[in-house]
Amino acid sequence: MAQITIKQDAAIRQMVDEVSSKNIEATIRKLVSFKTRHTLSDTTSKTTGIGAARNWIKAEYEKYAADSHGRMTVQFDTFTQPKKIRVDRPVKLKNVLAILKGTDPKDTRVYIVSGHYDSRMSDIMDPNGDEPGANDDASGTAVSLEIARVMAKRSFPATIIFMAVAGEEQGLDGSEHVAKRAKSEKWNVDAMLNNDIVGNTHGMETDLKDNRSVRVFSEGVPTLAAGNEREIASLISLGGENDSPSRELARYTKETAERYVDQLDVKLIYRRDRYLRGGDHVSFLQQGFTAVRITEMNEDFTRQHQTIRTENGVNYGDLPDYVDFNYVQKVARMNLSVLANLASAPAEPQDVGVITSGLTNRTQLKWDAPANGKKPAGYYVLMRESISPYWEKKFYVTDNKADLAYSKDNYFFAVQSVDADGHESLPVYPKPVK
Ligand SMILES: [Zn+2]
């Protein structure tokens, strides 16, 4: 392995250290205590059902917001989900959003971290059974809550939204509503991290145990490019199908999280989600935003979407005793390091292009500084071989252009902004320009 220099920002390191597995465990056990968080479950009881659960989540965020000097505000994102498959009557759904406003009024970027707080059992239409949903997805909800607690006390130039959504099991209903709202209200969502099923470290039938590896799923061809002939033609001709914005976010997540979290191995899965399955990041991809899914390495399907029971000596059910809280802590730290680094960084360079006016064996790139927010100290031009999954070299430049003795025919490039403390923006894959 090539030698790698790890340079940590002390402030981010401190926040990473503050993420507590004890708090995560308490949150997951509390969410389980509501007995069911099924989207169609009771909303009037103070102790059971999705109504009690969402009120508790909101109150918890409000506690953290008290430490934010007024920068964090908490809201229900409420809407009526019409009747459809898996929703047998119109039902009022409430996502919970804790918004930590950025300190730079000119910086409009928004970063979102999300988990779904609804749960289910074997029968997707049964709202009343014991549906603990400890791993799916109290674990992801606990990630959003715990890092909100730590980050509320800090300030960042860009805005971060800590989200717990409903209706995932019924068909991504809650996330679809937020994503469409973000689009229509023109939120400048730069990246969305979806944490769903992030707490189990044991692979069922394979008997694999792994508390180091975490999967990050990212799409290759952007969801929105489907049906756009010009975009598809460009991807085919330039070979950009491995450089969607979401894939750049996935690579960034690996690079940043492994910089801050010990004994963490981020596995990039070059696929939108698991085989034939989906999650809340897809709602954001469908609106044209950059998003990835974070999930444990090995899944235990006796613990997902299962009614609690014993059958042929096998115990079924998504119970908290099977969640590895230290592992969820690692995942939370991973999310925090990525969000903190992004929200501290300058925005991406604009109009990044490869100059194609002459045929040469070199690569000339040019770009503009980000229009708003803090000025970059410089830029990294990232480079990799066409068959490599990760960026391999980076060139630091302080100008808005680079001229490299490597051919654009043989390598892939991207450009990211960086500030004086080393916080990098997401990399931007260039377009051909004259
Ligand atoms: Zn889930």
Side-chain angles (χ1 to χ4, degrees):
M1 196 166 77
Q3 196 177 11
I4 295 166
T5 306
I6 301 284
K7 196 170 157 238
Q8 296 179 334
D9 171 338
I12 295 179
R13 177 75 225 183
Q14 175 62 34
M15 282 187 278
V16 163
D17 289 345
E18 285 175 27
V19 170
S20 147
S21 68
K22 286 249 171 342
N23 289 339
I24 287 166
E25 175 173 358
T27 294
I28 292 172
R29 291 192 185 279
K30 182 68 191 180
L31 288 169
V32 169
S33 79
F34 297 108
K35 194 166 174 292
T36 172
R37 305 186 306 281
H38 191 283
T39 294
L40 304 172
S41 64
D42 181 52
T43 57
T44 55
S45 163
K46 290 208 159 28
T47 51
T48 60
I50 194 164
R54 68 198 180 200
N55 288 337
W56 179 81
I57 293 169
K58 182 161 181 275
E60 200 62 19
Y61 275 134
E62 281 163 351
K63 264 196 243 164
Y64 312 152
D67 288 334
S68 74
H69 303 285
R71 280 176 297 103
M72 181 182 272
T73 52
V74 184
Q75 59 173 246
F76 276 137
D77 170 68
T78 306
F79 66 105
T80 301
Q81 174 62 47
K83 189 177 160 185
K84 55 153 207 166
I85 298 171
R86 294 186 168 194
V87 177
D88 57 8
R89 62 188 149 86
V91 61
K92 198 179 264 187
L93 299 194
K94 296 186 179 188
N95 302 311
V96 196
L97 273 59
I99 303 170
L100 182 62
K101 187 112 190 67
T103 50
D104 182 347
K106 292 215 170 98
D107 189 338
T108 58
R109 289 172 304 153
V110 173
Y111 296 98
I112 298 178
V113 57
S114 181
H116 73 85
Y117 69 92
D118 62 309
S119 66
R120 62 169 288 184
M121 53 199 271
S122 300
D123 175 0
I124 179 66
M125 295 309 292
D126 186 343
N128 298 319
D130 260 322
E131 317 189 38
N135 193 26
D136 185 12
D137 182 34
S139 66
T141 304
V143 167
S144 282
L145 280 162
E146 176 60 3
I147 63 181
R149 183 187 71 80
V150 173
M151 297 178 93
K153 297 174 216 152
R154 271 65 172 212
S155 56
F156 305 89
T159 293
I160 306 173
I161 300 180
F162 307 87
M163 195 158 87
V165 297
E168 195 273 348
E169 304 290 6
Q170 311 310 114
L172 314 181
D173 304 329
S175 59
E176 184 186 321
H177 184 263
V178 183
K180 285 185 170 166
R181 179 181 163 197
K183 180 81 179 284
S184 75
E185 293 179 3
K186 297 193 166 62
W187 299 4
N188 180 14
V189 179
D190 202 39
M192 183 269 193
L193 306 176
N194 172 30
N195 292 275
D196 193 353
I197 314 183
V198 292
N200 163 68
T201 49
H202 177 236
M204 178 182 58
E205 71 282 31
T206 48
D207 203 32
L208 292 166
K209 286 193 176 60
D210 185 348
N211 64 3
R212 275 189 100 236
S213 307
V214 185
R215 290 179 293 174
V216 175
F217 286 86
S218 63
E219 66 181 11
V221 174
T223 295
L224 273 198
N228 183 336
E229 272 176 50
R230 265 188 65 189
E231 207 171 326
I232 295 290
S234 157
L235 287 172
I236 291 171
S237 113
L238 300 172
E241 67 275 5
N242 198 11
D243 283 273
S244 69
S246 300
R247 194 142 291 170
E248 305 304 0
L249 170 61
R251 293 188 181 105
Y252 184 99
T253 298
K254 179 175 176 66
E255 153 104 20
T256 309
E258 291 179 5
R259 190 186 300 169
Y260 285 100
V261 186
D262 296 329
Q263 296 296 331
L264 177 73
D265 189 358
V266 176
K267 302 281 189 197
L268 300 187
I269 311 290
Y270 284 180
R271 196 170 243 169
R272 189 168 74 170
D273 204 323
R274 301 146 309 156
Y275 206 75
L276 288 177
R277 292 190 284 164
D280 290 321
H281 59 306
V282 175
S283 296
F284 281 77
L285 296 171
Q286 283 167 340
Q287 299 305 318
F289 297 121
T290 301
V292 295
R293 180 199 182 108
I294 299 168
T295 298
E296 65 203 22
M297 193 64 210
N298 300 295
E299 293 179 70
D300 187 339
F301 299 105
T302 59
R303 314 252 156 261
Q304 283 181 33
H305 304 179
Q306 296 282 2
T307 300
I308 301 168
R309 67 192 188 281
T310 304
E311 217 173 85
N312 301 325
V314 179
N315 296 319
Y316 291 87
D318 190 356
L319 295 159
D321 287 348
Y322 298 98
V323 175
D324 181 337
F325 304 109
N326 289 329
Y327 180 75
V328 185
Q329 172 182 266
K330 237 183 238 190
V331 174
R333 289 174 166 173
M334 163 184 175
N335 278 268
L336 186 149
S337 66
V338 172
L339 292 168
N341 207 54
L342 281 171
S344 305
E348 293 93 333
Q350 311 232 306
D351 297 322
V352 180
V354 178
I355 299 170
T356 56
S357 43
L359 289 172
T360 73
N361 286 304
R362 300 179 69 87
T363 300
Q364 291 172 306
L365 295 141
K366 65 172 187 179
W367 56 87
D368 291 331
N372 298 312
K374 88 159 111 166
K375 220 175 139 326
Y379 301 89
Y380 286 128
V381 178
L382 306 176
M383 181 180 113
R384 69 176 200 276
E385 284 208 65
S386 67
I387 56 164
S388 172
Y390 314 127
W391 297 111
E392 294 169 322
K393 269 190 165 57
K394 56 185 186 184
F395 304 88
Y396 180 70
V397 296
T398 51
D399 216 347
N400 285 17
K401 58 183 190 320
D403 183 353
L404 307 172
Y406 296 90
S407 170
K408 57 194 162 295
D409 300 325
N410 303 340
Y411 295 92
F412 288 131
F413 297 92
V415 184
Q416 61 187 168
S417 307
V418 60
D419 70 5
D421 300 318
H423 305 116
E424 306 98 333
S425 74
L426 287 176
V428 180
Y429 185 70
K431 294 193 168 62
V433 294
K434 293 284 177 211

